[in-house]
């Protein structure tokens, strides 16, 4: 089939036309929806459900469900990304998977709403991870598809805010809904509604011809050679380490407030800390993303933000009180806002191939998902037998600081 004039360049060429605010807002809202559907359960609902299902072994059950779900996401994100890169649809490459991801993710949340045994928890959470990653792979790829490099810092800042707002919205829905089941239903409904504005005005360019998908090359693509693409390799490794530190520090926040800090209402405590953290992210993400665009520098911002985030872990380790938790949330939010906005812009500048943007970003997202598999295996024995929460947060701080230092190894981006 002869490609239609202009179709392939629109889909694969580097974008040059600035995107409008309403398109950015639609992408941000879709991201808020999927992160609310993930983080509401992780921050509150799965922790409470694990305690209800296995009160004497809540840490193990919580770690098992989140770990298996994260293992699903390790495969799902690059797989759906590769499929999205090759999707022929009159609506574009990304739209069909945004729709499928929202519907399938909502189905997983509805399963969780009625789950009273570990098997159903695993089924529901794996469905949410599978389809949520289909949505995330597609919506993330719209940024390098549509946004010029000169605009990616500020757009990346807004996308960064979507993750934080998703945590805030998801936690609020989970807390205010009035029960575990109702919390899952509220997150599912919000997920479905959140993608509607993007579907209305996606501007998704379609392919006239499907690029070939060679299975051997696809499997190799799950790990892109750091020797051939060293900057992509360093970007992957540093994001992996950042997310290991973040996962170690946040996975057991509910139990940290309940068991270490000793507050009476950990649900509300998580919501308050998430709100404080979100405000701090808002204060730094957009401004520093725009600043990064204006000076055309990325690495110094990412390194600095990582060191700030590491300081938050130290505070939580040595000051396990409610004021200490608030202070840690302020410091972590300030650093994480800068990191999320600028690091995303950096990542889009080291992608190996325009043809495989969604798949390559899916490989990057393994660096987001794999730590969720590893963190429970590391954190549970530390909390129970190897020094408790102080050791856990000091380890999280050390890993984050290491990631911040290694960012300097990326050579092609200033």
């Amino acid at each position: 089939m002869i490609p239609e004039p202009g179709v392939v360049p629109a889909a694969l060429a580097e974008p040059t036309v600035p995107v409008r605010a309403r398109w950015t807002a639609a992408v941000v809202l879709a991201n808020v929806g999927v992160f609310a559907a993930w983080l509401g359960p992780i921050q509150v609902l799965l922790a409470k459900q694990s305690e209800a299902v296995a009160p004497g072994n809540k840490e193990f059950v919580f770690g098992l469900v989140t770990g298996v779900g994260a293992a699903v996401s390790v495969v799902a994100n690059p797989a759906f990304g590769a499929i999205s890169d090759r999707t022929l649809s009159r609506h574009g490459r990304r739209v069909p998977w945004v729709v499928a991801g929202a519907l399938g993710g909502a189905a997983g949340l509805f399963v969780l709403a009625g789950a009273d045994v570990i098997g159903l928890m695993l089924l529901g959470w794996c469905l949410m991870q599978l389809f949520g990653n289909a949505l995330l792979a597609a919506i993330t790829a719209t940024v390098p598809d549509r946004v010029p490099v000169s605009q990616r810092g500020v757009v990346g800042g807004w996308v960064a805010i979507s993750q934080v707002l998703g945590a805030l919205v998801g936690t609020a829905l989970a807390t205010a809904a009035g029960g575990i089941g109702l919390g899952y239903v509220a997150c599912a409904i919000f997920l479905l509604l959140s993608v509607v504005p993007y579907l209305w005005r996606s501007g998704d360019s379609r392919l006239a011809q499907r690029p070939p998908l060679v299975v051997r090359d696809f499997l190799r693509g799950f790990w892109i050679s750091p020797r051939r693409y060293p900057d992509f390799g360093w970007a992957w490794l540093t994001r992996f380490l950042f997310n290991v530190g973040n996962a170690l520090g946040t996975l057991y926040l509910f139990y940290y407030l309940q068991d270490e800090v000793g507050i009476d209402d950990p649900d509300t405590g998580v919501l308050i800390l998430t709100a404080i953290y979100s405000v701090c992210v808002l204060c730094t993400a957009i401004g520093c993303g725009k600043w990064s665009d204006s000076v055309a520098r990325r690495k110094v911002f990412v390194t600095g933000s990582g060191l700030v985030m590491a300081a938050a872990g130290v505070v939580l380790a040595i000051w396990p009180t409610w004021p200490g938790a608030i202070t840690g949330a302020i410091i972590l939010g300030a650093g994480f806002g800068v990191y999320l906005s600028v690091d995303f812009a950096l990542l889009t500048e080291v992608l190996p191939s325009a043809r495989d943007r969604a798949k390559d970003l899916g490989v990057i997202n393994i660096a987001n998902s794999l730590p969720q598999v590893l963190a429970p295996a590391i954190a549970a024995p530390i909390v129970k037998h190897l020094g408790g929460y102080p050791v856990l947060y000091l380890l999280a701080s050390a890993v984050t600081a290491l990631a911040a230092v290694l960012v300097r190894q990326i050579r092609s981006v200033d």
Side-chain angles (χ1 to χ4, degrees), residues 79-89 92-104 131-139 195 199 204:
F80 279 112
I83 295 168
S84 172
D85 285 330
R86 290 157 178 82
T87 295
L88 295 181
S89 165
R93 294 183 291 173
R94 313 305 180 193
V95 165
W97 299 106
V98 172
V99 173
L103 292 174
F131 287 100
N133 274 282
L135 194 165
L136 186 65
I139 204 71
V195 301
L199 299 176
D204 195 1

Side-chain angles (χ1 to χ4, degrees), residues 293-312:
D293 284 341
S294 66
V295 299
R297 299 189 68 187
R298 309 295 190 198
K299 290 191 295 187
V300 65
F301 290 92
V302 177
T303 298
S305 68
L307 296 176
V308 171
M309 291 159 61

